[in-house]
Amino acid sequence: MTVTKNDRLTVFVEDLTHDGQGVAKVDGYPLFIKGALPDEEVEVHVVKALKKYGFAKLIEVLKPSPFRVAAPCPVFETCGGCQLQHLSYEGQLMVKEKQVRSAMERIGKLHTTVLPVKGMENPWRYRNKSQVPFGMEDGRVVAGFYKSGSHEIADTPTCLIQSEAADRLMVALKERALEFGLQPYDEKTGQGQLRHLVVRTGYVSGETMVVLVTKSRKISQPEKLIQLIREIEPSTVSIVQNINPARTNVIFGEQNFVHWGKSHIVDSIGSIQFEISARSFYQINPVQTQVLYQQALDYAELTGEETVMDAYCGIGTISLFLAQRAKSVLGVEIVPPAVEDARRNAVLNGFDNATFEIGAAEEVIDAWYEAGQLPDVVVVDPPRKGLDGKLIDTLIMHKPRRIVYVSCNPATLARDLRLLEDGGYTVHEVQPVDMFPHTTHVECVTYLTI
């Protein structure tokens, strides 16, 4: 059967894509269907038919999945923040486990054990950081996540995955922004002042930081605005203005001004404290971060005698977890402010066995080897693109006895594991961890030995 635009078809959904669309096949021809779930029979309208695949609009669910639920968010169907609220949490974990297993087998040609995903007891209100764009619509201020695949704001009355403090501040600023000369910024024209509201909350400390990202420093009645923020959210300990004058969709600019309180908040992962500034990288889900890092620590199998290298160390979160059980930890990170944070966090927690250097992981680690600093364990936590090929070559050449790999992308994880196995390593079990409930993202931890 040839599928053409405007066809109305009844199809069976076999799988989900990486961005949460249902996948059905018509005589082998893939159709991608937003809102459809695996094991459903659905009626669809074909909206685009390309040579090798097409897209269809969901018309009706004829036979629903047993895991289909009503999404509790009022803007779920338009907002791009979540993709899976219409799938029960049990169903989400099953889908993510299948996603990881598929990547290992299809991309990595690996047959290692993929364990059940470690999920959350309460998969709501888990984000300790929200960054909400502001805009104007029909003469009123709007704020919320962007609509799927666009930079158009889905005006949001409440977000069920961010903190209640962030909700309160977002609603109040929508109502009162114009009083303070904070006309929302328009990406198309470059006009306006208020670009984003960023709210960071300490899960353990209870501290809140409020960051107003604006085009220029000008704010009318800043003292009154500070008073309003503190009244709305009494847990606020830091009010910061970040200036971003550039015509860009990058959120932060280079300049920060502290209007009130501290320049940072403090929070903890386990027994380790971290200072978090407006632009610091810090894991979004504090509950699952502890699960993720504890798994990495367990896989490292440290006895207190090992030297550990931590590539892509960020602000030192994993490094300091490892330093609790290692003889010494060497961390490397390409972002200078992150290294400054890592060094400060080491001092804050009294670790004298963790050192940090600025640079590309593949270059710094190679230099460490040449200088005779031979690690027993290497921990890697790369961005979504995975490991740099030069770093993989370095690891294969020098052969540390154990590698612990923390990944935010199953596809690049599988690719890199294949290369490391081909270089003489053995991949052991893969443990997925659900860091971002109601989205399609899943993190994994695995380890390799030589």
Side-chain angles (χ1 to χ4, degrees), residues 207-225:
E207 296 181 343
T208 296
M209 168 185 282
V210 179
V211 185
L212 300 171
V213 182
T214 59
K215 181 181 176 182
S216 70
R217 193 171 178 184
K218 183 178 179 181
I219 296 179
S220 300
Q221 307 177 76
E223 296 83 5
K224 188 177 178 182
L225 178 58

Side-chain angles (χ1 to χ4, degrees), residues 98-142:
K98 182 179 178 182
Q99 176 188 349
V100 174
R101 182 174 289 107
S102 174
M104 295 303 119
E105 295 175 356
R106 181 174 52 85
I107 299 171
K109 303 296 188 288
L110 298 164
H111 299 284
T112 189
T113 300
V114 175
L115 299 172
V117 181
K118 289 190 175 182
M120 299 188 72
E121 288 186 18
N122 178 14
W124 302 101
R125 299 287 184 190
Y126 61 83
R127 291 181 64 94
N128 59 16
K129 177 185 177 184
S130 66
Q131 39 197 38
V132 179
F134 277 67
M136 293 294 291
E137 184 178 289
D138 299 327
R140 62 188 180 89
V141 179
V142 296

Side-chain angles (χ1 to χ4, degrees), residues 67-326:
F67 298 106
R68 177 175 283 276
V69 296
C73 174
V75 295
F76 167 67
E77 292 188 1
T78 55
C79 176
C82 295
Q83 300 84 45
L84 299 179
Q85 282 194 21
H86 60 318
L87 180 62
S88 72
Y89 193 52
E90 179 186 1
Q92 292 179 35
L93 298 181
M94 292 169 62
V95 162
K96 292 182 181 187
E97 180 182 334
K98 182 179 178 182
Q99 176 188 349
V100 174
R101 182 174 289 107
S102 174
M104 295 303 119
E105 295 175 356
R106 181 174 52 85
I107 299 171
K109 303 296 188 288
L110 298 164
H111 299 284
T112 189
T113 300
V114 175
L115 299 172
V117 181
K118 289 190 175 182
M120 299 188 72
E121 288 186 18
N122 178 14
W124 302 101
R125 299 287 184 190
Y126 61 83
R127 291 181 64 94
N128 59 16
K129 177 185 177 184
S130 66
Q131 39 197 38
V132 179
F134 277 67
M136 293 294 291
E137 184 178 289
D138 299 327
R140 62 188 180 89
V141 179
V142 296
F145 286 97
Y146 290 120
K147 294 179 182 179
S148 180
S150 79
H151 265 229
E152 184 181 349
I153 294 169
D155 192 28
T156 306
T158 182
C159 177
L160 299 176
I161 62 170
Q162 71 181 14
S163 69
E164 292 178 333
D167 268 1
R168 288 190 289 269
L169 289 159
M170 176 183 69
V171 170
L173 200 54
K174 279 198 290 187
E175 294 173 351
R176 306 281 296 275
L178 298 182
E179 288 181 34
F180 303 102
L182 295 174
Q183 181 79 14
Y185 180 78
D186 186 328
E187 279 191 357
K188 294 178 181 178
T189 66
Q191 300 301 306
Q193 176 71 334
L194 179 61
R195 301 178 70 129
H196 281 79
L197 168 68
V198 179
V199 180
R200 308 195 76 149
T201 52
Y203 179 76
V204 175
S205 68
E207 296 181 343
T208 296
M209 168 185 282
V210 179
V211 185
L212 300 171
V213 182
T214 59
K215 181 181 176 182
S216 70
R217 193 171 178 184
K218 183 178 179 181
I219 296 179
S220 300
Q221 307 177 76
E223 296 83 5
K224 188 177 178 182
L225 178 58
I226 290 167
Q227 181 182 351
L228 172 66
I229 291 171
R230 293 180 63 196
E231 287 174 356
I232 297 240
E233 190 46 57
S235 66
T236 301
V237 299
S238 174
I239 300 175
V240 178
Q241 184 181 9
N242 174 268
I243 311 302
N244 184 0
R247 292 287 294 269
T248 176
N249 57 15
V250 174
I251 293 176
F252 286 109
E254 295 299 319
Q255 290 183 297
N256 285 330
F257 298 96
V258 179
H259 279 276
W260 181 84
K262 304 187 294 182
S263 63
H264 62 272
I265 60 173
V266 175
D267 204 20
S268 302
I269 302 174
S271 61
I272 302 173
Q273 287 191 322
F274 296 92
E275 288 187 356
I276 307 160
S277 60
R279 297 173 61 194
S280 291
F281 172 79
Y282 189 68
Q283 288 281 11
I284 292 294
N285 185 331
V287 173
Q288 292 297 87
T289 295
Q290 184 158 353
V291 173
L292 185 75
Y293 288 1
Q294 185 61 53
Q295 189 68 63
L297 184 59
D298 291 346
Y299 280 163
E301 293 191 358
L302 301 177
T303 66
E305 298 300 320
E306 296 85 1
T307 296
V308 180
M309 288 184 180
D310 179 12
Y312 312 95
C313 70
I315 67 169
T317 46
I318 292 182
S319 298
L320 298 185
F321 241 67
L322 297 165
Q324 297 174 99
R325 295 189 190 171

Side-chain angles (χ1 to χ4, degrees), residues 33-66:
I33 311 156
K34 183 179 179 181
L37 294 174
D39 301 322
E40 292 189 329
E41 186 177 296
V42 296
E43 185 178 357
V44 300
H45 172 227
V46 179
V47 295
K48 184 181 288 187
L50 303 175
K51 185 175 181 180
K52 294 186 177 180
Y53 59 89
F55 296 89
K57 181 180 180 181
L58 178 64
I59 302 298
E60 184 180 356
V61 178
L62 303 174
K63 293 181 181 178
S65 161

